[in-house]
Amino acid sequence: MKRILSLALLLATGSFVAQAQTKLPPRKPVQPRGRMVMKDGATRDGAVMKDGKVILTQQGLTNPVLQETALINGTKIKPDGTLTMPDGTTAQMKEGDYMSLTGRLTTMAMKAEQDSLMKAAMADPKAKGKTKMKKKGK
């Protein structure tokens, strides 16, 4: 009887040891989730007037504006591009104009001005803040 009990105990102990020594299979590498990227490169959240339609991007999802939509600051955007500011003034979006979700409007003219200033700064980086002064002749 002692032999059977000790044999059973030995087998039970051996099975626990065998289980503890088995290795888990290696984990498979997981690819990160893909991001939604627009072909235009304009992935910022906000409203853009494109081809006569207002397109609204929120949290990476882009949809056309089909009914009047209110932004965080109270600005309302209509599908035709009419903006009603919180103070009651109205404006019309033109092709390429962008309005952030906080209500900041950036027109195409502003973008063009910013681009030209950046190009000028890149062309002559040493001229930043310096002015040429003429010396008076004696």
Side-chain angles (χ1 to χ4, degrees):
M1 183 76 161
K2 285 185 178 180
R3 282 190 168 193
I4 295 174
L5 185 59
S6 63
L7 183 61
L9 184 61
L10 182 64
L11 287 175
T13 308
S15 65
F16 286 125
V17 172
Q19 287 179 356
Q21 292 178 355
T22 57
K23 292 184 179 180
L24 295 174
R27 289 187 166 189
K28 295 179 183 177
V30 178
Q31 285 188 318
R33 288 186 179 179
R35 291 184 173 177
M36 299 174 102
V37 177
M38 293 177 59
K39 294 178 184 176
D40 303 281
T43 57
R44 298 185 301 174
D45 286 354
V48 177
M49 177 67 96
K50 186 173 182 181
D51 298 328
K53 297 177 184 176
V54 180
I55 299 173
L56 183 65
T57 303
Q58 288 180 318
Q59 298 177 352
L61 299 174
T62 303
N63 294 309
V65 175
L66 302 175
Q67 59 187 4
E68 186 175 83
T69 305
L71 300 178
I72 296 168
N73 71 338
T75 301
K76 295 177 183 174
I77 302 175
K78 292 184 181 177
D80 64 351
T82 304
L83 304 171
T84 305
M85 307 298 177
D87 61 357
T89 60
T90 60
Q92 180 67 39
M93 289 179 77
K94 296 178 183 171
E95 188 67 25
D97 287 355
Y98 167 79
M99 174 158 279
S100 70
L101 294 180
T102 57
R104 182 176 177 172
L105 181 64
T106 305
T107 63
M108 283 300 287
M110 291 176 173
K111 289 179 189 177
E113 183 180 344
Q114 289 172 356
D115 287 345
S116 64
L117 291 174
M118 285 193 334
K119 286 180 183 177
M122 290 173 67
D124 192 13
K126 293 181 180 180
K128 184 178 179 183
K130 293 183 180 179
T131 58
K132 294 182 180 179
M133 298 183 75
K134 294 181 182 179
K135 292 185 179 181
K136 293 184 181 180
K138 289 185 180 180

